[in-house]
Amino acid sequence: MEDTPFDLLLFGGAAVLLAAIAWVADRRRMRRRDPDAVGFVPWTTVSFWAAFVAVLLLAVGAKAWFGE
């Protein structure tokens, strides 16, 4: 199965959305009122890896879209 440029850009956009949601969740965690109310999801790590995957997918998708 070959990935089309549209698929790569679509998944890249989804990764951007996930990175933005994780960034907002991390910001909310840093500004919480109760320091003992710690969550279990490492939002900083999720945000970093989602942004990393988004950059890679969008770069490869743009390269495939515009030609090599």
Side-chain angles (χ1 to χ4, degrees):
M1 182 174 142
E2 187 174 321
D3 291 329
T4 64
F6 181 75
D7 291 340
L8 293 172
L9 294 173
L10 183 68
F11 289 128
V16 167
L17 181 64
L18 176 63
I21 290 170
W23 177 75
V24 169
D26 188 42
R27 184 166 167 82
R28 287 186 65 207
R29 177 188 284 188
M30 287 189 302
R31 301 173 138 264
R32 67 184 178 266
R33 290 183 188 195
D34 184 11
D36 293 330
V38 180
F40 63 91
V41 178
W43 290 115
T44 306
T45 306
V46 172
S47 176
F48 171 78
W49 285 111
F52 181 72
V53 167
V55 167
L56 290 177
L57 286 174
L58 291 174
V60 171
K63 184 177 179 183
W65 185 279
F66 294 115
E68 296 183 44

